[in-house]
């Protein structure tokens, strides 16, 4: 069982607005009548849902593309068109948000949180976390999610919908 799941913490679901494509030049998925959503947008939504479901697993663009019925190039292009980001950037974002939730709302060890968010080494997790918000995971937890001179926990995803 992943750390923190017993406490009711959650990431967005496929029906959540967070998973709807967010590119400023694109309509949100909710704007499409059921059944009329373009196939490319459905593909992006399915890829996002799979990434959320597999948050602790190693990332493979090849496998993700295969699982949504396309190739790597097409998935990358469609994902970027509809969200403004790559699938890996989306995954990094949801991993960071999940780590913030777990750091603030559980007593789980940093190593367990690293594993739950897809990092095989705590040092790699700590480095990536610090790069993203300027604090180590332990400092983030101790500060209540407030980075010195920076945004509060809501920026880092501690208050996910």
């Amino acid at each position: 069982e992943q750390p923190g799941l017993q406490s009711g913490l959650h990431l967005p679901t496929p029906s959540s607005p967070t998973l709807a494509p967010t590119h400023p030049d694109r309509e949100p998925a909710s704007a499409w009548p059921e059944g009329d959503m373009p196939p490319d947008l459905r593909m992006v939504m399915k890829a996002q849902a799979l990434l959320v479901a597999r948050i602790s697993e190693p990332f493979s663009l090849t496998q993700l593309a295969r699982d949504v019925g396309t190739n790597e190039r097409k998935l990358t292009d469609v994902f970027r068109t509809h969200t403004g980001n790559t699938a890996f950037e989306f995954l990094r974002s949801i991993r960071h948000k999940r780590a913030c939730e777990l750091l603030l709302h559980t007593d789980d060890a940093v190593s367990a949180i690293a594993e739950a968010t897809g990092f095989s080494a705590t040092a790699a997790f700590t480095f990536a976390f610090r790069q993203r918000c300027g604090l180590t995971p332990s400092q983030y937890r101790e500060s209540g999610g407030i980075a010195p001179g920076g945004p509060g926990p809501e920026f880092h995803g501690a208050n996910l919908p």
Side-chain angles (χ1 to χ4, degrees), residues 98-122:
R98 179 69 174 154
C100 290
E101 280 187 331
L102 294 171
L103 286 165
L104 292 179
H105 302 292
T106 72
D107 292 328
D108 295 339
V110 171
S111 59
I113 293 171
E115 186 177 327
T117 55
F119 288 87
S120 58
T122 304

Side-chain angles (χ1 to χ4, degrees), residues 23-139:
H23 193 279
D25 296 334
R26 299 283 173 210
E27 290 185 56
S30 60
W32 293 94
E34 196 167 326
D36 288 341
M37 186 182 295
D40 286 352
L41 183 54
R42 273 197 304 274
M43 181 190 313
V44 170
M45 300 280 296
K46 182 176 180 182
Q48 288 176 320
L50 288 170
L51 289 168
V52 168
R54 299 173 183 168
I55 194 169
S56 64
E57 299 174 17
F59 176 73
S60 167
L61 183 61
T62 303
Q63 185 61 50
L64 182 63
R66 192 175 301 134
D67 291 344
V68 298
T70 192
N71 61 59
E72 294 173 45
R73 178 67 178 199
K74 170 82 173 179
L75 179 60
T76 298
D77 290 347
V78 168
F79 208 99
R80 189 182 306 269
T81 296
H82 286 284
T83 69
N85 292 306
T86 65
F88 186 63
E89 289 166 338
F90 174 80
L91 179 60
R92 279 195 323 228
S93 176
I94 63 170
R95 283 178 170 173
H96 181 76
K97 288 175 183 180
R98 179 69 174 154
C100 290
E101 280 187 331
L102 294 171
L103 286 165
L104 292 179
H105 302 292
T106 72
D107 292 328
D108 295 339
V110 171
S111 59
I113 293 171
E115 186 177 327
T117 55
F119 288 87
S120 58
T122 304
F125 169 68
T126 298
F127 179 81
F129 194 93
R130 186 178 206 149
Q131 289 289 108
R132 190 154 184 123
C133 77
L135 297 171
T136 66
S138 296
Q139 290 169 332

